[in-house]
Structures are given as C-alpha cells and as structure tokens.
C-alpha cells in the first residue's frame, strides 16, 4: 500500500512570501481572512492549519521593517475563534518556550483542545536573542546554549500538567450530588533549575490528552529534541535530495529514544504555483517571485548579509564590491534568517561568483538565492511530484504556504487535492474527529504509553 499523504495549510507569516500588495490579497488582522483560509483548507480535508508567531516587530536600519506585513493578532485568540467556525481541521499554533510559562501555555492548549473537540497542536519554538527578549522580563537573560535545555524542561513540565488529570475524575452525578470522584485532581509539582511550581492544574483532561507537538529546529540539538519529544517536525527541506537526507537522519534518531518511525511525522513547508500548462505556471512563478522580491526588498535582503547600509545601491546593478561587515548584526534585528549566514564573507563570494557566471543583477541574484517555489506546474505535475516525494521518503507530506491570503489555498484544494484522492493517497473525507486521528498518531496516556488513535 502506498503511504498516505498528510497536507496542511500555513497562513503565511509576516515575511516576503506574502504578496500583500496584490489586489487579491486580504487582511492579516481581520478575522474573516483567517475564517476563509481555514474553511477552504477544511473543504479540502487537510489535516490542519498552521499559524506562525512573532514576538517583536522586525527592524532594519533602526526602523520598523514595513515592506512585509507588520503585526498579527494573538495566536491563541485566532485559533479559539476558528474552533467555532470549523468542525474537523486541526488548529496548530506556534508558541514560544523561552518567554512564556508552562502553566499558562498548558492551560491555554488544554482549553483549546476542549473547545475544538480535540484539534489542538503546539509548535514548540525557542528564542535567545536579547532584541526579542526586551519585550519580556527575561530580556537578554537566556544564553543561546540554554534555549533547548529550557525548552525540554518547559515541555516536560507542560506534559506533567496535561497528565495531572487522568480523565475519569469528573463524574457530575446529579442524584448523589458528587462532582468529583477524586478529591485531589490536577495535583502537580515540578522543580528544576528553570521552574519551581506546585499546585493543582485547573483544566480537566482534554480529548487528545495532550496537544499534538510540533518542533521546527534544524540544528543537531533541535533534531534530537524533536526525535525525543515531538509528534511532527515542521521542516525546511522541501527538495527531494535534501528531504530524503533529513528524513533518514531524524527517523534514524528515534530508536535511541525508544520510539518507532511512525511516531514522528516529517512535514516540510512548501510553496506552489499552478498553471494550465507548464509554461504558464513557470511564467506565473516568475511573476510571483518578482512581486515577493521588489527592488526595495532586494536591497534589504542584501543589507542583511552585508550588515551595512546599502540604501544607495542600485538593485539593477552588480553586487557591492565591498565585503560584509563581520560581527554582531546591527542592521537587521529580530530575523532568524540572519543568523544562518555563518560566514558572511564566504557567502558574499559565492553570490558574486553566481551573479558573474549567470549575468545576474543584484535583484535577480536575490530572487534566485532567497528561495523559489517548491512546486511549479500543472495540477497533475504538482500532484505527481508531491506523491513521488512522499513515497520516496523525502517527507510524510507538506505544509503548504500560499503567496496570497485568504484565498491562496483554493486553487490547490480545487485542482490538486482531487487528483491525490483519485490515486488513493489522500483521504476523501475525515475518518476521525481529532487531529491525532487525522495524523495517524496514538493517543497519549498519563503514564507516557500510547494507544491506537480512536
């Protein structure tokens, strides 16, 4: 039997993936945008929707970066509202483990799981930069090397809170007047170098027991964290070769944590552009990329590597002849992507070589190196490619990121999903009610053991 494909929809984040200037683009604040996006994804029987989160507005050159969408409502508030206007689709929120507290987050996710009938998921992320921390009482406190230690402790503490209710304590017997079968439900105590808390957790056990846990780290430590604790990984490796290497690496780590391969799903982010012909799709993809990387955006991306003011640089000219300023990045603050440039001078040399070899201007080079669409082609081509990648163990499915909101998922739902359904690799309808049902993940018992999803 072929593997079943898992598909999800990512409401685009506040970055240049979103072409907010397009006439078809809607609000990133008004609830109707989130409602339409979620309902279209649910019409396509997708596993879940995914919301990212930013805890501080990005800055560049000491100004708020406003070439992308600026600002977004609180994740829990949006997901709770979506629970009321959807029935089956999972609701995944990105919540930081560095600047929050376990009791509060566990309470919010347990509540969301109740309100949604068992559809909650938590993408556990970390942060260490003092720039983001300035918005919180721990500004600049957490050393980079401690972020995963705190995340592990945070998740363990939250799990203890979720499991502090067995699920059979509330009897609510009206005849006898007995509400609780256990006089001490929700009792917990956790003490380590990060947390020292004890008391009674006040949210009874939710339909899934615990939310589905996602993790998005790509470092060696992040991969181990996911292999030990996560139900799914939000990966950035969406090509066949890179996906297969990441898949084999992470799945190969599971046995040392006492887990089997089917207990962790790998779901890369993927963008797409559809056309009636291959040529039309390619043309549309290029138009989208040029909209995502305007001349002004190209210069801002250039500054993020060069770490200097390049506002006078010509985006239609060659790359700067000067080298990047090495050291702490003071131009672009609050961007994780900046930290990925481990050796800015070497990266600049690679960019210059590529631009010279291919005759690219600055803007054209930025279009090439900042990521192209994952899937480009006719609906048949895209369906074939997605299926091939999943069957070849490059992933277990994809988290799809459209360039338009709220209607950007509709073409995929209407034109690609039916083709996957026809070949028997994607559901024709939801078979269960919880997100764990959709993902084929076991329910978790309070003792840490698992049972087949009901």
């Amino acid at each position: 039997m072929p593997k079943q494909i898992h598909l999800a929809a990512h409401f685009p984040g506040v970055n240049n993936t979103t072409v907010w200037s397009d006439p078809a683009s809607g609000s990133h604040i008004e609830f109707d945008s989130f409602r339409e996006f979620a309902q279209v994804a649910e019409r396509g029987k997708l596993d879940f929707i995914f919301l990212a989160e930013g805890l501080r507005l990005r800055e560049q050159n000491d100004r708020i970066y406003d070439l992308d969408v600026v600002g977004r409502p609180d994740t829990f508030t949006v997901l709770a509202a979506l629970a009321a206007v959807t029935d089956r689709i999972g609701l995944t929120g990105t919540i930081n483990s560095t600047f929050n507290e376990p009791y509060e987050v566990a309470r919010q996710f347990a509540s969301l799981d109740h309100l949604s009938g068992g559809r909650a998921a938590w993408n556990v992320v970390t942060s260490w930069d003092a720039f983001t921390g300035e918005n919180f009482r721990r500004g600049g406190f957490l050393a980079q090397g401690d972020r995963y230690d705190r995340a592990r402790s945070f998740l363990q503490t939250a799990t203890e809170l979720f499991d502090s209710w067995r699920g059979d304590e509330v009897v609510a017997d009206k005849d006898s007047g007995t509400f609780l079968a256990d006089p001490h439900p929700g009792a917990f105590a956790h003490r380590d170098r990060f947390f020292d808390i004890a008391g009674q957790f006040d949210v009874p056990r939710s339909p899934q027991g615990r939310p589905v846990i996602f993790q998005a780290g790509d470092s060696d430590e992040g991969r181990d964290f996911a292999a030990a604790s996560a139900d799914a990984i939000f990966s950035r490796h969406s090509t066949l070769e890179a996906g297969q290497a990441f898949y084999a690496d992470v799945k190969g780590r599971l046995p040392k944590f006492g887990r089997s391969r089917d207990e962790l799903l790998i779901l890369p982010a993927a963008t797409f552009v559809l056309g009636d012909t291959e040529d039309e799709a390619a043309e549309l993809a290029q138009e989208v990329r040029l909209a995502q990387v305007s001349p002004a955006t190209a210069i801002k991306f250039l500054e993020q590597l060069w770490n200097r003011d390049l506002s006078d640089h010509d985006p239609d000219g060659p790359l700067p002849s000067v080298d990047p300023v090495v050291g702490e990045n003071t131009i672009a603050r609050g961007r994780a992507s900046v930290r990925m440039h481990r050796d800015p001078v070497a990266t600049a040399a690679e960019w210059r070589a590529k631009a010279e070899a291919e005759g690219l201007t600055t803007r054209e080079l930025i279009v090439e190196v900042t990521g192209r669409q994952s899937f480009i082609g006719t609906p048949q081509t895209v369906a074939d490619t997605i299926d091939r990648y999943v069957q070849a163990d490059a992933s277990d499915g994809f988290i799809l990121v459209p360039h338009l909101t709220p209607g950007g998922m509709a073409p995929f739902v209407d034109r690609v999903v039916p083709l996957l359904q026809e070949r028997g690799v994607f559901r024709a309808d939801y078979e269960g009610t919880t997100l764990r049902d959709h993902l084929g993940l076991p329910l978790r018992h309070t003792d840490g053991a698992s049972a087949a999803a009901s």
Side-chain angles (χ1 to χ4, degrees), residues 168-180:
D168 60 357
E169 293 90 344
V170 177
V171 293
D173 188 323
K174 296 180 180 179
D175 293 332
S176 67
T178 301
F179 195 86
L180 290 175

Side-chain angles (χ1 to χ4, degrees), residues 217-235:
D218 192 42
S219 65
D220 188 69
E221 192 172 12
R223 295 183 187 198
D224 262 355
F225 179 48
S229 307
D231 297 304
I233 296 182
F234 180 31
S235 157

Side-chain angles (χ1 to χ4, degrees), residues 8-12 31-51 78-79 81-92 119 402 405-410 413 430:
H10 185 333
F11 194 98
F31 180 65
D32 277 350
S33 288
F34 295 96
R35 176 191 53 76
E36 179 181 340
F37 187 86
Q39 290 177 343
V40 167
E42 187 169 61
R43 175 162 58 81
K45 314 303 178 185
L46 272 61
D47 293 84
F48 59 90
I49 63 165
F50 184 99
L51 292 186
V78 173
L79 293 180
L82 289 176
V85 296
T86 57
D87 295 314
R88 295 293 182 88
I89 196 162
L91 305 170
T92 304
R119 295 184 283 140
T405 54
M409 282 301 303
V413 164
Y430 294 109

Side-chain angles (χ1 to χ4, degrees), residues 116-189:
S116 64
R119 295 184 283 140
W122 172 16
N123 180 36
V124 184
V125 296
T126 67
S127 181
W128 59 269
D129 61 291
F131 173 75
T132 300
E134 288 172 356
N135 276 355
F136 300 88
R137 65 181 177 84
R138 251 188 311 280
F141 162 77
L142 192 65
Q144 181 177 1
D146 289 339
R147 60 178 181 147
Y148 276 113
D149 288 340
R150 179 183 164 90
R152 278 187 286 268
S153 177
F154 192 110
L155 183 56
Q156 176 61 37
T157 307
T159 299
E160 291 169 10
L161 294 168
F162 295 134
D163 290 350
S164 64
W165 288 76
R166 297 185 310 273
D168 60 357
E169 293 90 344
V170 177
V171 293
D173 188 323
K174 296 180 180 179
D175 293 332
S176 67
T178 301
F179 195 86
L180 290 175
D182 182 340
H184 303 290
F188 70 90

Side-chain angles (χ1 to χ4, degrees), residues 41-324:
E42 187 169 61
R43 175 162 58 81
K45 314 303 178 185
L46 272 61
D47 293 84
F48 59 90
I49 63 165
F50 184 99
L51 292 186
E53 184 179 61
L55 297 179
R56 179 162 179 170
L57 299 180
R58 292 165 173 164
E59 295 181 15
Q60 193 151 335
N61 304 101
D62 295 321
R63 297 181 60 184
I64 298 299
Y65 188 95
D66 64 353
L67 296 178
D68 300 336
V69 171
V70 178
R72 177 68 66 77
D74 173 72
T75 297
F76 275 118
T77 306
V78 173
L79 293 180
L82 289 176
V85 296
T86 57
D87 295 314
R88 295 293 182 88
I89 196 162
L91 305 170
T92 304
T94 302
I95 298 297
N96 195 288
S97 63
T98 304
F99 301 118
N100 288 296
E101 294 298 321
Y103 189 94
E104 178 184 29
V105 170
R107 190 167 184 266
Q108 289 169 316
F109 271 114
S111 298
L112 178 62
D113 205 50
H114 275 294
L115 294 175
S116 64
R119 295 184 283 140
W122 172 16
N123 180 36
V124 184
V125 296
T126 67
S127 181
W128 59 269
D129 61 291
F131 173 75
T132 300
E134 288 172 356
N135 276 355
F136 300 88
R137 65 181 177 84
R138 251 188 311 280
F141 162 77
L142 192 65
Q144 181 177 1
D146 289 339
R147 60 178 181 147
Y148 276 113
D149 288 340
R150 179 183 164 90
R152 278 187 286 268
S153 177
F154 192 110
L155 183 56
Q156 176 61 37
T157 307
T159 299
E160 291 169 10
L161 294 168
F162 295 134
D163 290 350
S164 64
W165 288 76
R166 297 185 310 273
D168 60 357
E169 293 90 344
V170 177
V171 293
D173 188 323
K174 296 180 180 179
D175 293 332
S176 67
T178 301
F179 195 86
L180 290 175
D182 182 340
H184 303 290
F188 70 90
H190 184 102
R191 293 179 174 86
D192 61 23
R193 73 187 182 100
F194 293 105
F195 307 109
D196 183 359
I197 58 175
Q200 274 72 42
F201 189 52
D202 66 348
V203 183
R205 192 163 184 83
S206 69
Q208 292 187 117
R210 309 170 191 170
V212 173
I213 300 297
F214 281 78
Q215 204 274 332
D218 192 42
S219 65
D220 188 69
E221 192 172 12
R223 295 183 187 198
D224 262 355
F225 179 48
S229 307
D231 297 304
I233 296 182
F234 180 31
S235 157
R236 62 184 178 86
H237 301 284
S238 60
T239 64
L240 181 61
E241 295 78 11
Q244 287 175 320
F246 182 82
Y247 192 98
D249 178 83
V250 175
K251 294 275 188 174
R253 296 172 188 244
L254 291 167
K256 71 178 180 180
F257 297 106
R259 307 181 70 195
S260 61
R261 289 171 62 87
D262 60 355
E263 290 185 77
L264 178 68
L265 299 176
I266 296 178
L267 304 172
T271 53
F272 62 92
V273 175
L274 303 176
D276 291 332
T277 66
E278 301 298 332
D279 288 343
E280 180 185 71
E283 291 175 6
L284 288 172
Q286 182 63 13
E287 290 177 10
V288 171
R289 289 299 293 141
L290 291 174
Q292 291 170 330
V293 184
S294 67
T297 298
I299 295 302
K300 294 299 184 184
F301 270 106
L302 199 67
E303 290 181 338
Q304 290 165 24
L305 177 63
W306 258 257
N307 196 23
R308 63 170 80 228
D309 183 355
L310 296 172
S311 55
D312 293 333
H313 187 77
D314 181 5
D316 295 319
L319 291 170
S321 57
V322 297
D323 282 335

